[in-house]
Amino acid sequence: MLWTLFAFGAAVSALQPLPPVQWTSNNTSLKGFALGDGSRTVYIDNGFANHTDTEGLTLIPPSAYEFAETFRQDLSELFGESWTLEKVSNFPDTGIFLGLFKGDAKELTYENGVPTEEGYELEVGAQSIYVGGTGSRGMFWGTRTLLQELLIANGTALRPARIVDAPAYATRGYMLDAGRKWYSPSFLKELCTYASFFKMSEFHYHSSDNYPLNRGRNETWNKVFSHFSLYSENPELQGIVERKNESLSRADFEDFQRHCAQRGVTVIPEIEAPGHCLAITKWKPELALAKKDLLNLTHPDAIPTVKAIWAEFLPWFQTKEVHIGADEYDSTLADDYINFVNEMSDFVNATSGKRIRIWGTYEPSENLTISKDIVIQHWQYGQSDPVQLQNHGYGLINSEDWWAYMSLKNNHMPINPAPYPQFYNITRTLDFANVPGWQWEPALFNPVNTTEQLEPSASGNKGAILAAWNDNGPDATTQLEAYYAMRSGIPVVAARAWSGSRGMNITTSSLNPSLDLLIPKAPGQNLDRRFSISQSPSASPLLSWSRGSGNTTFGKGSYGPPYTLTLRIVAPCSLTGPDSSLSLGPVATNTTNTTTLVFSTADNFLYPLRSVSEADGHDPGHPGRIWTNVTSSSHIPVPIRLPAEVRIETDVVNGSRVWVDGRFKGRFEVFVFGGRNTLFSWSQMAMVAPLGSVEGGLESLVLEVGIGGKRGGVNATGFPVSNGGLRGAGGGGAGWVVISAFLVVAAVLL
């Protein structure tokens, strides 16, 4: 297949690496390189092995040798051989060689002209490959390209050719809202590993937040869900954490950062203040304004409390930049806000030498301005203007909500205009501003006034970060559903942030098959929850079990969508796994106990099987959503009469749907509160199959790949289609003309 790819001037291959690369041909008469040639050894130049980068944001930069060791492990995992790593002063005749970029490293720059340690060359020769980096990270990114090309080649030789490549922007990131939902350390590390395969450079960890006070069951403010996900052993600060079992210790967080750094990704931690502060104001109610999740910055203990929190956690954070949040405060208190932000900037810098980031926030002061030392993460017009930020000398990051935002599980309707998609909307990246073929890149912010963009070489533009928000609360998704939402968005955004305006565009015709090949193969992680690579994914069935076998432990962990799980049940029973469990037992309703199927997740939320019409949940504009004014679905728990044959079909868009004795009965779902409590809905839950062990009256189990008929909005892999099919999912078409970004007064969304 790569022979086709490297036949320059000939037909383009059906597949492309992400980010795409431009090869130049060498002597085409040479044989080239195949993994079967030579020894199973990666050689690294002894003079380069101890090199560590200095210009990135991490304070724990791995050496080139450590990156090479990660590469060695990935080779062994992907291609089934036991590879070794060896330092050498002189390379042998055959093999994979790692070292320093051979040319002038100053020629490899970001798009703004600043030299980068992230550049690399990849040269395929006669029975050898050389990967040279302008820094250790550059060498590592080159190995990502090599692994992807080897996967695309599918065992054939790589033809002699050469790449010289460097990213357009240093910040190529993704944000996860861990302030409204708990994410385990293992999940965070897997997500980081996945993103690094596509050359993402930053993981923005939003560590604290609260459910919006204007939505939900209208509980007393101090009962509304809030979360602070870092746990300190300092007793004076432990009151900020409500659920110790859903927090990261210092050891957890430093392990998370080290893991990410080993794959070229810097964790950017965020502690939110002075808005979204319910975790603080529940702890110290005297510090709250009338809107209880806002700090009263004039209270004499407010800023000292925030400083005490940062003083505790700054030593945890192995990065040169941290994020203090600082969005959606009160514009009538602009001077208090600006003084707070500037004071925190001085405090963080004096305490730790770090620079701070904030979200763009409307602060109409006639007297004060935000310090130019602060990086502004633009997210919405009416809150900040990228052109003005650049002209006024600020560093900035592109997280414009039109292209960057997801609201996990479903959007904010009926707040207008805020239909954020529940899955990353790739159409907005490939057809920016609804212009077919105009691919987004980090200099593009404005999808309405399309001439108001930054120049690609703008000195202040650090890059871009996509954002996955848990505005709908901790029970609206599973941990893995956050991955499903970003699954295709991460490689696409990484590709466009790497290429910028100067690099190669994504070939849209080959995007879907490229994603289908590369995503499941990203080494070092198993977020799709598949069995070992030794078992063919097309085997049918993947797993078959009966009580007569005498074995009640499968040891398979979990299996992710798309799948069909068929169970023969004769008495109450349970299946357990590391991500979830499935049981048959009584569920209390308003009137009685109903025996039904219940999924429970690792974070202890329960989802009973509920009655819905088979035709409901397929609104093309809101996949999986069933509005409460739809009367064909009752959403009451479904009674299961035994014995029964239960078939569960799961895909990401439609969730886990259930047939009992051949008749459709309903699905596992969650009730979602609408914007400002005026419109409510039920949304699908896509649960993984728990395949650790079984207890009770389960007679047989059969697990098969795929579902019994492809439904709209889903590709053959059971995940949202990558291009075009989600246009309606987030208002990506012309209906988005009334856009949140251009209202002077922004709706409170987060």
Side-chain angles (χ1 to χ4, degrees):
M1 192 173 296
L2 273 185
W3 287 90
T4 304
L5 179 63
F6 295 152
F8 304 101
V12 176
S13 168
L15 300 176
Q16 61 181 340
L18 294 168
V21 293
Q22 180 65 58
W23 290 88
T24 56
S25 177
N26 286 347
N27 185 345
T28 57
S29 65
L30 295 178
K31 174 185 174 183
F33 177 86
L35 284 179
D37 298 338
S39 65
R40 301 294 185 269
T41 302
V42 175
Y43 301 96
I44 184 168
D45 179 12
N46 190 56
F48 185 60
N50 293 328
H51 175 85
T52 57
D53 291 350
T54 59
E55 297 172 6
L57 291 182
T58 183
L59 295 173
I60 47 174
S63 68
Y65 186 86
E66 290 174 295
F67 277 130
E69 171 59 20
T70 301
F71 172 54
R72 182 203 65 78
Q73 294 173 15
D74 294 343
L75 270 175
S76 299
E77 175 187 337
L78 289 176
F79 302 105
E81 300 283 353
S82 180
W83 287 73
T84 59
L85 175 63
E86 184 179 338
K87 298 179 185 179
V88 294
S89 298
N90 296 292
F91 292 125
D93 293 332
T94 64
I96 298 176
F97 311 143
L98 307 178
L100 190 65
F101 183 72
K102 294 177 181 178
D104 184 355
K106 294 180 181 178
E107 294 179 358
L108 294 188
T109 69
Y110 296 116
E111 206 154 44
N112 60 11
V114 175
T116 172
E117 295 170 319
E118 297 188 87
Y120 70 91
E121 59 184 326
L122 169 57
E123 185 163 7
V124 179
Q127 299 182 311
S128 68
I129 288 179
Y130 182 77
V131 182
T134 56
S136 299
R137 284 173 298 154
M139 182 204 73
F140 181 70
W141 298 138
T143 67
R144 304 304 90 184
T145 299
L146 174 57
L147 290 174
Q148 291 190 29
E149 293 286 20
L150 290 169
L151 288 169
I152 292 171
N154 193 28
T156 62
L158 305 188
R159 191 169 181 175
R162 187 168 187 263
I163 299 167
V164 176
D165 195 16
Y169 294 89
T171 292
R172 309 176 302 279
Y174 59 101
M175 189 222 77
L176 181 62
D177 178 1
R180 298 187 181 102
K181 181 173 181 63
W182 161 241
Y183 292 98
S184 69
S186 61
F187 174 83
L188 296 173
K189 291 192 289 187
E190 278 195 278
L191 187 62
C192 193
T193 299
Y194 172 74
S196 76
F197 190 53
F198 303 100
K199 305 189 180 81
M200 279 290 195
S201 63
E202 295 183 12
F203 187 159
H204 177 170
Y205 182 76
H206 184 81
S207 73
S208 62
D209 213 317
N210 53 268
Y211 190 81
L213 293 177
N214 59 1
R215 285 199 287 147
R217 298 176 177 82
N218 293 312
E219 300 103 326
T220 304
W221 68 271
N222 60 5
K223 302 297 182 184
V224 171
F225 181 88
S226 63
H227 189 45
F228 192 92
S229 64
L230 306 175
Y231 183 80
S232 167
E233 295 297 334
N234 182 348
E236 295 182 2
L237 292 176
Q238 290 174 0
I240 200 172
V241 177
E242 291 188 38
R243 293 169 298 281
K244 180 181 177 180
N245 64 319
E246 294 185 358
S247 61
L248 302 177
S249 68
R250 180 169 185 171
D252 290 333
F253 198 78
E254 292 194 343
D255 178 59
F256 166 40
Q257 293 176 99
R258 283 192 299 270
H259 177 91
C260 292
Q262 290 296 320
R263 289 189 174 269
V265 179
T266 302
V267 176
I268 306 295
E270 176 184 357
I271 298 175
E272 179 77 69
H276 300 263
C277 272
L278 207 57
I280 296 177
T281 58
K282 283 188 197 177
W283 173 39
K284 295 190 173 187
E286 69 276 11
L287 302 185
L289 288 172
K291 188 175 184 299
K292 295 298 187 179
D293 61 350
L294 302 184
L295 286 179
N296 178 2
L297 293 174
T298 63
H299 191 287
D301 290 336
I303 294 178
T305 295
V306 177
K307 287 182 177 179
I309 293 169
W310 275 100
E312 177 69 19
F313 292 107
L314 277 170
W316 294 27
F317 300 154
Q318 302 296 332
T319 172
K320 299 174 186 176
E321 291 186 7
V322 294
H323 205 302
I324 71 164
D327 71 319
E328 296 186 312
Y329 191 59
D330 184 337
S331 62
T332 67
L333 303 174
D335 285 0
D336 293 338
Y337 168 87
I338 294 171
N339 279 325
F340 165 79
V341 169
N342 288 342
E343 188 171 345
M344 288 305 301
S345 176
D346 292 341
F347 173 79
V348 168
N349 185 261
T351 303
S352 65
K354 303 182 193 299
R355 189 179 187 184
I356 72 166
R357 299 177 180 181
I358 65 171
W359 296 100
T361 302
Y362 180 56
E363 64 281 337
S365 174
E366 296 180 359
N367 307 306
L368 303 172
T369 59
I370 298 292
S371 167
K372 302 294 175 61
D373 293 330
I374 297 169
V375 177
I376 312 295
Q377 189 166 344
H378 167 85
W379 69 279
Q380 188 181 86
Y381 284 82
Q383 299 293 325
S384 59
D385 183 293
V387 174
Q388 289 183 3
L389 291 174
Q390 170 66 28
N391 290 342
H392 293 162
Y394 287 97
L396 69 154
I397 294 168
N398 185 347
S399 289
E400 165 61 36
D401 62 354
W402 186 84
W403 73 265
Y405 271 29
M406 291 156 279
S407 179
L408 299 185
K409 192 45 60 75
N410 61 48
N411 57 33
H412 295 270
M413 295 293 288
I415 294 177
N416 279 322
Y420 295 153
Q422 60 178 305
F423 304 103
Y424 184 83
N425 192 321
I426 288 178
T427 300
R428 295 184 183 175
T429 302
L430 300 180
D431 302 330
F432 180 72
N434 300 317
V435 178
W438 187 16
Q439 295 193 7
W440 168 88
E441 48 95 1
L444 300 179
F445 288 79
N446 195 323
V448 173
N449 297 322
T450 57
T451 61
E452 294 185 3
Q453 316 295 350
L454 294 187
E455 292 295 325
S457 60
S459 59
N461 192 1
K462 296 167 64 70
I465 295 175
L466 64 87
W469 294 101
N470 279 298
D471 299 68
N472 295 303
D475 64 338
T477 63
T478 68
Q479 294 193 45
L480 288 169
E481 282 182 305
Y483 160 68
Y484 303 156
M486 293 188 280
R487 183 178 185 267
S488 295
I490 281 175
V492 168
V493 171
R496 295 304 305 133
W498 179 280
S499 292
S501 67
R502 71 185 183 187
M504 294 184 67
N505 278 359
I506 294 169
T507 303
T508 55
S509 61
S510 66
L511 177 59
N512 284 355
S514 298
L515 292 172
D516 291 345
L517 171 70
L518 297 174
I519 284 175
K521 297 291 188 180
Q525 57 81 42
N526 186 23
L527 289 167
D528 282 341
R529 296 300 190 256
R530 297 292 184 256
F531 295 161
S532 67
I533 59 175
S534 62
Q535 184 165 2
S536 170
S538 61
S540 185
L542 274 179
L543 179 65
S544 182
W545 171 89
S546 66
R547 173 66 60 179
S549 70
N551 181 22
T552 58
T553 300
F554 308 127
K556 295 290 188 180
S558 303
Y559 194 85
Y563 68 83
T564 299
L565 182 66
T566 304
L567 309 171
R568 180 68 181 171
I569 305 174
V570 297
C573 61
S574 64
L575 280 168
T576 58
D579 298 296
S580 63
S581 64
L582 175 65
S583 61
L584 179 74
V587 173
T589 67
N590 291 334
T591 57
T592 185
N593 284 343
T594 299
T595 298
T596 191
L597 287 167
V598 179
F599 260 114
S600 61
T601 60
D603 39 10
N604 298 316
F605 290 108
L606 303 179
Y607 304 91
L609 173 62
R610 295 184 180 274
S611 176
V612 302
S613 167
E614 190 170 3
D616 287 345
H618 303 295
D619 179 348
H622 306 279
R625 170 171 281 190
I626 300 175
W627 304 101
T628 52
N629 61 355
V630 175
T631 58
S632 54
S633 293
S634 67
H635 305 285
I636 61 175
V638 176
I640 303 292
R641 294 177 175 84
L642 301 178
E645 182 179 271
V646 174
R647 186 175 85 251
I648 302 172
E649 295 186 358
T650 299
D651 67 70
V652 167
V653 172
N654 298 286
S656 296
R657 295 159 61 84
V658 178
W659 285 256
V660 178
D661 294 329
R663 298 182 62 185
F664 181 78
K665 288 296 184 180
R667 67 179 188 172
F668 302 96
E669 58 183 8
V670 63
F671 186 72
V672 177
F673 291 89
R676 301 203 176 95
N677 290 346
T678 60
L679 191 62
F680 310 103
S681 61
W682 293 85
S683 289
Q684 79 288 356
M685 297 297 298
M687 313 297 293
V688 296
L691 299 169
S693 61
V694 60
E695 293 181 358
L698 183 65
E699 284 294 296
S700 64
L701 173 154
V702 176
L703 175 71
E704 299 170 283
V705 177
I707 57 176
K710 192 167 63 175
R711 299 189 179 97
V714 184
N715 68 8
T717 66
F719 289 89
V721 291
S722 300
N723 184 18
L726 284 184
R727 187 180 293 276
W736 186 260
V737 171
V738 185
I739 183 171
S740 61
F742 301 96
L743 293 183
V744 173
V745 180
V748 177
L749 304 178
L750 299 182

